[in-house]
Amino acid sequence: MHEPNPGSPLPGPRSAAAPDVVFTADFTSERQWVAGRSWAYPDGGPVNPGDDKLDHLVADPAFSRSGVFRARRRPDGRWNTGLLTTEGSQDGFEVRTGDILEARVRLPREIGAWPAIWTWRDGGQEVDVFEYHPDNPDLLEFTNHVRGSNRYFRDDMISPGAWADLRTEFGARSVVWWVNGRRVFADQRGTGRNWHAYLIVNLSVCGGRYHPPPRRETSEMSYRVSRLVVRRPDYGLTAQPLGATAEEEGADEQKAGA
């Protein structure tokens, strides 16, 4: 199996516009990230069994602040897990329509691991940059929960322990996912023009309802995010966000005025 070189560059921008980097993840930064709690979990955590997760979120920096997101079995059957979110942080960074997120990740090997990069705000606004389950070793999951689209993407280069370069364009009319420089899914649904949401990076643990739980002999698991940036293209006064045409934007304005 061929794995991409961890030092290789991420895919270049699709648009002719020069995207400015507006966010570079520093997982050690307490201004950028809050550790161990998220309002995507009931009452902000630390557990979320209703979503078939064995997680018990912890703020311990060893579980997330190095960019290696870890999970460790607890005596009570749950797992201490690492999660970082920009929600509630001092900077309060949000991804918005037109942004491009690029990340480089090393996928976990252990059955039951559930890594993800995703967005969340006010009980929704979720777009999954990726989800992965090692029981489906060659498959990445992409979902736009905002407007109801998803794709299961299979490829020989996707496997437990493999590196993957990910790119997601949050277009108003189409969210577009890229993997290792290849455009793999454009959902033709988009996020809408005024969408914005916080970032979450985490490692969950499956409870067994949809994917198998960890094996008895497994006590720890992890995955790595070595790079995460968000770019914001400058389209000028007349150009439109990714995924939207001028005609579509005009139709939206007519509907808004109706």
Side-chain angles (χ1 to χ4, degrees):
M1 180 196 70
H2 171 71
E3 293 186 6
N5 183 346
S8 65
L10 291 168
R14 183 193 69 175
S15 172
D20 292 331
V21 173
V22 294
F23 182 83
T24 300
D26 175 2
F27 295 127
T28 67
S29 171
E30 295 186 2
R31 289 192 59 87
Q32 283 191 358
W33 301 96
V34 170
R37 69 176 186 271
S38 169
W39 290 106
Y41 285 53
D43 300 318
V47 299
N48 190 8
D51 199 22
D52 196 37
K53 294 181 176 181
L54 298 177
D55 304 9
H56 187 283
L57 301 181
V58 294
D60 185 338
F63 283 77
S64 58
R65 291 291 188 180
S66 69
V68 178
F69 291 78
R70 304 183 186 278
R72 184 174 300 155
R73 191 187 292 272
R74 295 163 50 97
D76 63 6
R78 297 191 185 276
W79 287 67
N80 288 335
T81 55
L83 177 147
L84 294 178
T85 178
T86 60
E87 183 176 14
S89 68
Q90 294 180 61
D91 290 348
F93 177 79
E94 293 181 76
V95 184
R96 72 187 195 195
T97 300
D99 283 358
I100 302 166
L101 184 150
E102 298 171 344
R104 182 164 181 78
V105 305
R106 187 168 192 173
L107 301 171
R109 300 177 181 275
E110 298 84 3
I111 296 296
W114 182 358
I117 300 174
W118 46 303
T119 67
W120 186 265
R121 180 178 58 83
D122 296 339
Q125 309 305 322
E126 180 179 352
V127 178
D128 299 329
V129 172
F130 91 105
E131 296 177 89
Y132 180 70
H133 299 278
D135 57 294
N136 291 321
D138 63 345
L139 184 148
L140 294 178
E141 300 176 25
F142 308 128
T143 307
N144 174 0
H145 293 275
V146 177
R147 291 191 167 178
S149 69
N150 73 287
R151 174 65 55 87
Y152 292 159
F153 169 70
R154 293 185 181 275
D155 191 90
D156 290 342
M157 294 183 71
I158 304 303
S159 65
W163 286 94
D165 289 326
L166 308 172
R167 174 185 173 97
T168 304
E169 301 171 0
F170 299 93
R173 288 288 181 176
S174 187
V175 179
V176 182
W177 285 264
W178 300 65
V179 179
N180 295 332
R182 177 182 166 194
R183 188 175 187 260
V184 299
F185 179 40
D187 72 356
Q188 304 301 318
R189 299 288 183 86
T191 61
R193 291 192 301 166
N194 299 316
W195 174 85
H196 56 102
Y198 300 103
L199 278 172
I200 298 175
V201 184
N202 76 307
L203 176 61
S204 284
V205 179
C206 297
R209 189 185 312 158
Y210 307 115
H211 293 270
R215 293 168 175 156
R216 290 184 180 180
E217 64 271 21
T218 303
S219 60
E220 296 189 12
M221 55 183 69
S222 66
Y223 93 105
R224 180 176 181 82
V225 181
S226 66
R227 181 170 182 256
L228 189 159
V229 299
V230 177
R231 302 178 184 275
R232 188 161 292 162
D234 179 5
Y235 292 95
L237 296 176
T238 58
Q240 307 299 330
L242 286 172
T245 65
E247 291 79 9
E248 289 169 335
E249 292 291 348
D252 278 352
E253 289 175 1
Q254 289 178 4
K255 290 178 182 177

